[in-house]
Amino acid sequence: MQNIKPVRILILLLYISIMLGGVMLISQGRDVNIPGIAYSLRMPGAKDVLPSAWYKKEQPEKVMASLENKTQEKVVVSKQPKEEKRKVVKDTLTSSKPEVIVPKEGVKVTTHPGDIAIEYPQGALDAFFSSLSYAKGGKKKIRVLHFGDSQLEGDRVTERLRENVQGEFGGYGLGLIPFTEIKGIRTTLNQEASDNWETDILYGHHAAGATHGEFGLFGKDFFFKGSFEEPASAEIRLQRTGYTSYRERTYRHIKLYLKNTLSPLKVIYGQGKKYTDTLKVYPRENPQTLDLPIKGRLGTLDMKFESTGTPHFYGLSLEGDAGVMVDNLPLRGSSGTEFTRMYKAHLKGVVKDMSVRLIILQFGVNTVPQLSDSYGFYERSFYRQIQYLKSVFPKASILVVGVSDMARKERTELQSYPNITAVSGAQRRAAQKAGVAFWDLYKAMGGEGSIITWAERTPAWANKDYTHFTRRGANHVGDMIYNELMREYNKFLTKKIAQ
């Protein structure tokens, strides 16, 4: 065997390298089909083998802009009605940029055996789904209003829904918070208030004391009484808990929703048990939204209000600059049929700067114990509430969550209430008539007797009242609502991409 000179080996390797480089430049990462074999061979492209530093990386915002440009011609959101254009309303999502940003990939959904799909007519959730892509882009802020009865108290269900939504689409802050609340009831916040706060309540057995219809989203009017001879003051303190997540305790804005018609209001506030800033609010006839110039991470937040008049407050909000806000709005004792008793013009004034894109209505546990042969009255009343909310929030989608399972003792046995399906059916028919979405929580839980099973789990998912969820059960319900919404969102994306 003749000796092969090293120079010839070098020339051969150089020749092979040149040939392979030529093939890579021609193929650019294409698949090559091999005759007689059921598989294809992917030829590597130049970027597969050369150092990544040799190539300029695109910035995330440029990628988003590029994706947006590619989809603008294909996906268009319907224009606003003419009457909406005449309204002077601050809204972070307007028709000035109607195209929908379509992500390349959908949202990961956890599928469980026996999951119950959301029922809705075509397009009923499009307003919400379209806005999610903008929120994820980091330049827009939208809201989800989660109304319910005592099943939601303490931020239950909503907390997990918020965690999931903000984790996927961005957003910071706990959202809307009432000025007074039962101490220790909320898992994500400790709240204290001075004793001189008074409250008018729209719903439940307290409603008889409410002589007006000027309420905020909590269905409450919080106030303290001053006099022209002697000013009065009221205080609140907010503190994080061990359950307050990083996103929830981080905020860029504190917004106050109020109506102050008689005399100036002084707002004194600060973090870390210190009053450091003061803001003066002058009287106005209509509701006001006050944006306090303060940001940080919630540890302790103190606020003090001073006035010679009687200012009225409807809630405050801890929120970020973009992403999704998910508000916990529990109406203890409500059947979900009291919204129409709010003055519409007043409520519109309170929410004028909120970009609400989804409203979730989760009621029924106060209706089920009122046994009846027919629930046509409830269906008609619930339908009117949906229509009312559609008129206040014309750009929002609505999802009705059917009543959960409930049980009582019949002689010596625990049994589900016999009218659960009747109440749920009334809610479903009201949703169908109004053209909004419906999700059957009763079936998703497992149907008849499921609340008993949940209460007997270790650890329990329901309390021994066989009505209310424990924290674990509430988290599971929050996960289910999120998963079903995202399953439909993925379908929405698939349709938009195909257009």
Side-chain angles (χ1 to χ4, degrees), residues 1-56:
M1 179 179 296
Q2 295 180 349
N3 293 330
I4 300 177
K5 295 182 180 180
V7 68
R8 292 187 177 182
I9 296 177
L10 182 60
I11 294 173
L12 178 62
L13 291 175
L14 181 61
Y15 176 77
I16 294 173
S17 299
I18 293 173
M19 292 295 293
L20 287 174
V23 172
M24 288 166 58
L25 289 173
I26 295 172
S27 64
Q28 289 294 316
R30 297 172 183 169
D31 291 339
V32 178
N33 295 320
I34 303 175
I37 299 179
Y39 302 98
S40 60
L41 176 65
R42 183 183 184 276
M43 297 299 294
K47 290 187 179 182
D48 294 321
V49 296
L50 295 179
S52 59
W54 291 15
Y55 292 89
K56 183 179 178 181

Side-chain angles (χ1 to χ4, degrees), residues 294-325:
I294 183 173
K295 61 183 179 180
R297 293 190 181 92
L298 182 62
T300 299
L301 175 65
D302 286 296
M303 306 183 74
K304 183 177 181 179
F305 308 90
E306 295 181 354
S307 178
T308 56
T310 303
H312 296 262
F313 301 85
Y314 309 109
L316 62 93
S317 181
L318 305 179
E319 54 191 71
D321 292 315
V324 186
M325 304 303 306

Side-chain angles (χ1 to χ4, degrees), residues 2 22 104 125 134 167 214 244 248 256 296 302 326-327 331 339 350 387 409 476 487-488 495:
Q2 295 180 349
K104 292 181 179 179
L125 292 173
Y134 280 123
E214 295 190 348
T244 315
E248 289 172 331
L256 303 178
D302 286 296
V326 183
D327 302 317
L331 283 59
F339 292 102
V350 173
Q387 292 296 88
K409 184 167 284 188
H476 181 66
R487 199 186 315 280
E488 301 309 316
K495 291 180 182 178

Side-chain angles (χ1 to χ4, degrees), residues 28-285:
Q28 289 294 316
R30 297 172 183 169
D31 291 339
V32 178
N33 295 320
I34 303 175
I37 299 179
Y39 302 98
S40 60
L41 176 65
R42 183 183 184 276
M43 297 299 294
K47 290 187 179 182
D48 294 321
V49 296
L50 295 179
S52 59
W54 291 15
Y55 292 89
K56 183 179 178 181
K57 295 182 179 180
E58 291 183 286
Q59 297 300 318
E61 57 269 21
K62 291 184 178 180
V63 174
M64 181 62 71
S66 174
L67 179 59
E68 180 182 350
N69 292 334
K70 291 178 182 179
T71 59
Q72 283 179 350
E73 297 180 357
K74 295 184 178 181
V75 183
V76 180
V77 177
S78 59
K79 296 181 180 179
Q80 296 181 18
K82 291 183 179 179
E83 59 268 23
E84 286 300 317
K85 291 184 178 180
R86 292 195 294 267
K87 296 180 181 179
V88 182
V89 177
K90 183 181 179 182
D91 193 333
T92 58
L93 283 174
T94 66
S95 60
S96 61
K97 192 177 183 181
E99 294 81 16
V100 177
I101 301 172
V102 182
K104 292 181 179 179
E105 296 181 356
V107 176
K108 184 178 180 181
V109 177
T110 304
T111 305
H112 301 281
D115 278 349
I116 304 299
I118 296 174
E119 310 164 20
Y120 61 101
Q122 185 175 0
L125 292 173
D126 283 7
F128 175 54
F129 292 157
S130 298
S131 66
L132 281 177
S133 299
Y134 280 123
K136 194 169 185 175
K139 296 182 180 180
K140 301 293 182 181
K141 179 166 56 181
I142 65 171
R143 295 194 94 95
V144 175
L145 305 181
H146 191 185
F147 290 102
D149 42 43
S150 56
Q151 195 70 277
L152 302 189
E153 276 190 321
D155 210 13
R156 290 177 303 140
V157 183
T158 311
E159 176 191 358
R160 180 56 67 86
L161 180 62
R162 181 189 305 116
E163 178 184 344
N164 289 332
V165 172
Q166 290 188 341
E168 180 65 38
F169 299 97
Y172 292 91
L174 281 164
L176 285 168
I177 299 167
F179 269 71
T180 63
E181 197 168 45
I182 300 173
K183 189 173 182 178
I185 194 170
R186 185 186 284 256
T187 57
T188 48
L189 185 71
N190 281 329
Q191 186 169 355
E192 299 178 18
S194 55
D195 295 333
N196 60 327
W197 284 101
E198 299 184 42
T199 308
D200 281 342
I201 303 178
L202 173 71
Y203 51 86
H205 65 276
H206 304 284
T211 58
H212 60 84
E214 295 190 348
F215 297 93
L217 292 174
F218 289 101
K220 295 180 178 181
D221 169 26
F222 307 95
F223 59 95
F224 63 90
K225 295 179 179 178
S227 68
F228 289 105
E229 293 79 19
E230 184 177 356
S233 65
E235 300 176 58
I236 61 171
R237 170 174 288 175
L238 307 178
Q239 291 180 303
R240 57 176 286 190
T241 73
Y243 290 112
T244 315
S245 70
Y246 172 81
R247 284 189 176 275
E248 289 172 331
R249 67 176 180 263
T250 303
Y251 57 89
R252 298 289 181 267
H253 302 270
I254 298 177
K255 294 191 176 183
L256 303 178
Y257 300 91
L258 57 97
K259 185 175 182 180
N260 179 44
T261 58
L262 297 178
S263 59
L265 168 70
K266 186 183 293 185
V267 182
I268 310 167
Y269 58 95
Q271 302 178 87
K273 299 183 179 180
K274 294 180 181 179
Y275 289 122
T276 56
D277 298 282
T278 301
L279 200 62
K280 194 171 185 178
V281 184
Y282 291 95
R284 282 177 52 185
E285 186 65 29

